Amino acid sequence: FQFGPGRFVANPDSQNEHLLFRQAVAHAIDKDLLVAELTAGSRLISPAVEPLDSYVGLLDQEHAERPWTLYGVDPSRAKQLLSEHCAAIGRDCDANPIRIVLGGSSNQPQIQTMTRLVSAMLTTVGFEVDVKLRDSSIFFGEVFDSGEWDLAVLNLHTGSGLSAIRGIHAAYDPAGGPPHGQNYARWGTEDSAIQGDVVEEFTQLVAAYRSAAEISELRDLAGEADNFLAEEVVSIPLFSVPQVAAVWGDEISGFKHNTSWGFTWNIEEWQRLDS
């Protein structure tokens, strides 16, 4: 979800600031169906994929909570939440359906498939959906950074462990708006539609995580942040795709996996240890 003012360039009818709306979207999405379609014949993504209900549990295996299970696929519940949202804003959504503009990169087959499937899911519960994919050079060169998108299907590359969790927090840090920060969704930033106590609460969580030193404290704070982002439906994690590599450590040095650029990004630095 984009929360900054640029979203109205993409969709003058954007409703992302409303929690009932975000909850309705979350309940409309069938993650199991997405995974099944994308892994069919292993054509688009690895078959070793499962729906994602916690970014903390994914990156730190000792964390067992799964807060996004709050939003299992439930079209009836999605329709009810949408009806409650329409009543709250005083709108006849049967006569004037809420419009969603679903964006992303057109260069990736999996994004094309996902947006098609998600669009159908949202349409089923009563939204009017327009899919507007752009070439990666345009979407990530102009649209994404400026915040001129409504909802987007994105790939997030990350590592593992407690340090990687800090990177997830940075993506929603209210103090980290672009161009200096990484909060491209503009959740809680100065120009965001989201303000108030919820922003202050997450700001304090992020600050506490950065200053914590004990592993147990880091895990507790990460769990709090995971639950917070789920309750507020700041985003909707869909699934994770593992990246695995093996190297003979006693024969080759210099190998470093980069989640954004793959396994051979620094191949010029590799060396045989016996040379």
Side-chain angles (χ1 to χ4, degrees), residues 247-269:
V247 64
W248 286 272
D250 58 344
E251 296 185 22
I252 298 175
S253 68
F255 175 87
K256 294 180 181 179
H257 180 211
N258 184 305
T259 54
S260 296
W261 301 104
F263 302 120
T264 58
W265 67 283
N266 71 330
I267 194 169
E268 71 277 1
E269 298 178 11

Side-chain angles (χ1 to χ4, degrees), residues 13 82-83 86-87 89-99 125-128:
D13 195 27
L82 177 56
S83 178
C86 291
I89 63 174
R91 176 165 168 172
D92 182 353
C93 290
D94 291 328
N96 184 20
I98 288 176
R99 180 172 179 252
V125 302
F127 292 109
E128 178 184 296

Side-chain angles (χ1 to χ4, degrees), residues 194-212:
I194 306 297
Q195 299 294 334
D197 292 343
V198 291
V199 174
E200 180 61 26
E201 182 179 348
F202 191 68
T203 299
Q204 291 176 2
L205 275 174
V206 171
Y209 192 88
R210 285 175 175 162
S211 61

Side-chain angles (χ1 to χ4, degrees), residues 122-144:
L122 295 173
T123 300
T124 297
V125 302
F127 292 109
E128 178 184 296
V129 184
D130 291 335
V131 175
K132 292 192 175 180
L133 302 182
R134 305 283 190 92
D135 184 89
S136 291
S137 62
I138 297 175
F139 182 76
F140 290 109
E142 302 172 14
V143 177
F144 186 68

